[in-house]
Amino acid sequence: MKTCENNYFQQKHSKEMRAVQDSMDVLNGKWKVAILSSICYYNKRRFSEILNDVEGISNRMLSKELKELEVNKLIIRSVMDTQPITVMYELTKHGKSLKNIIESLSDWGIAHRRVITGK
Amino acid sequence: MKTCENNYFQQKHSKEMRAVQDSMDVLNGKWKVAILSSICYYNKRRFSEILNDVEGISNRMLSKELKELEVNKLIIRSVMDTQPITVMYELTKHGKSLKNIIESLSDWGIAHRRVITGK
DNA sequence: CTGAATCCTCTGCGATACTG
DNA sequence: CAGTATCGCAGAGGATTCAG
């Protein structure tokens, strides 16, 4: 019976689908992945450096997004006692587990441009 | 000199960073990746099936997002001449190249839940 | 069944200015 | 330098209805 077949497959993949949604909820918005990329590529990165890396982002947004990433335990914020103060951001172990995805997204972005522009 | 060093690395990674942004521009919004996951996991999928797979999406949104995905050459839409008509969606070759990323996101989503809930 | 058309709400995000 | 505080709007997205 067709519906049974569908239900079978449905159950088979609904868990993965929910997991994908969970991931995208954390990485939502226009900036999160780009910010993570910046920190990921440079290992440690300062606020103003990320501000430059991520094209077009405002300090307001950067501040807000960094806070969310910290809450989600993807990055660690540490204040350096300099004058004036500087703040370093780095990936947690958990954040580093996104490295493969980020690199894949980079590769895919380049491939996508080729596909859309017709090479 | 520190700034030179920074500029050097800056140039080294700005290309990847732009590519990541390109990818995320295509996959933006609340639903795109989930929709792609549905089609990806089942190879071919009908409108109403995707509507069920993606929890919470409205037909209005699904319709709109599918259109964008088609414009970006990630999926192909084909109308089956049945009564009433059914519409199948499947990934293009280019769309299929997202499979690894989708699977990684699924794995990461599960891991993330463990990290946040403290296991 | 697969959408398109309306209407309406809410919020993501930009611009700008200000603080320690 | 690294943020916070306001203000304002376009547009994402929800609910509902209509159409082929």
Side-chain angles (χ1 to χ4, degrees):
Chain A
M1 207 211 274
K2 201 109 187 280
T3 24
C4 283
E5 217 174 299
N6 284 343
N7 285 339
Y8 173 68
F9 285 120
Q10 184 79 12
Q11 298 223 323
K12 194 163 179 249
H13 291 300
S14 57
K15 189 176 177 180
E16 289 97 315
M17 299 260 319
R18 252 181 273 115
V20 171
Q21 276 291 37
D22 288 346
S23 295
M24 295 315 291
D25 283 350
V26 177
L27 305 176
N28 67 34
K30 196 174 173 181
W31 304 114
K32 298 256 169 60
V33 178
I35 293 169
L36 288 170
S37 301
S38 167
I39 304 174
C40 179
Y41 281 127
Y42 296 100
N43 295 320
K44 288 174 182 243
R45 207 70 175 150
R46 289 182 25 215
F47 186 89
S48 56
E49 292 175 325
I50 304 173
L51 202 57
N52 285 328
D53 291 340
V54 181
E55 205 156 338
I57 196 172
S58 66
N59 56 352
R60 176 177 122 76
M61 269 300 120
L62 180 55
S63 173
K64 194 184 139 215
E65 301 289 71
L66 284 169
K67 210 175 291 178
E68 291 185 31
L69 292 174
E70 196 186 359
V71 168
N72 279 314
K73 306 195 177 178
L74 298 184
I75 62 176
I76 293 177
R77 189 186 103 114
S78 45
V79 181
M80 319 298 283
D81 200 3
T82 57
Q83 198 52 255
I85 60 163
T86 57
V87 181
M88 295 292 298
Y89 293 92
E90 53 190 315
L91 297 185
T92 61
K93 187 180 172 189
H94 182 225
K96 283 176 187 164
S97 67
L98 278 170
K99 189 169 186 182
N100 285 332
I101 292 177
I102 289 173
E103 287 170 353
S104 298
L105 283 170
S106 174
D107 293 343
W108 191 85
I110 292 169
H112 178 67
R113 185 172 287 253
R114 268 201 299 275
V115 170
I116 293 300
T117 64
K119 210 158 289 188
Chain B
M1 204 211 277
K2 201 111 189 278
T3 22
C4 283
E5 216 174 299
N6 285 342
N7 285 339
Y8 172 69
F9 286 120
Q10 184 78 13
Q11 299 224 323
K12 194 164 179 248
H13 292 300
S14 56
K15 189 176 178 182
E16 288 98 316
M17 299 260 319
R18 253 180 273 114
V20 172
Q21 276 292 36
D22 288 346
S23 295
M24 295 314 291
D25 284 350
V26 177
L27 305 177
N28 67 33
K30 196 175 173 180
W31 305 114
K32 297 258 169 61
V33 178
I35 294 169
L36 289 170
S37 301
S38 168
I39 304 174
C40 180
Y41 281 125
Y42 296 100
N43 295 318
K44 288 176 181 237
R45 207 69 175 151
R46 288 180 31 212
F47 186 88
S48 55
E49 291 175 327
I50 304 173
L51 202 57
N52 284 329
D53 291 341
V54 181
E55 206 156 336
I57 196 171
S58 66
N59 57 351
R60 178 178 120 76
M61 269 300 120
L62 180 54
S63 174
K64 193 184 139 215
E65 302 289 71
L66 284 168
K67 209 177 289 175
E68 289 183 34
L69 292 174
E70 196 186 359
V71 167
N72 278 314
K73 305 195 178 178
L74 297 183
I75 63 175
I76 294 177
R77 190 185 102 116
S78 45
V79 180
M80 320 298 282
D81 200 3
T82 56
Q83 198 52 256
I85 60 164
T86 57
V87 183
M88 295 293 298
Y89 293 91
E90 52 191 316
L91 296 185
T92 62
K93 187 180 173 189
H94 181 226
K96 283 175 188 165
S97 68
L98 278 170
K99 189 169 186 181
N100 284 332
I101 292 177
I102 289 173
E103 287 170 353
S104 297
L105 283 170
S106 174
D107 294 341
W108 190 86
I110 292 169
H112 177 67
R113 184 171 288 253
R114 269 200 298 275
V115 170
I116 293 301
T117 65
K119 208 158 290 186

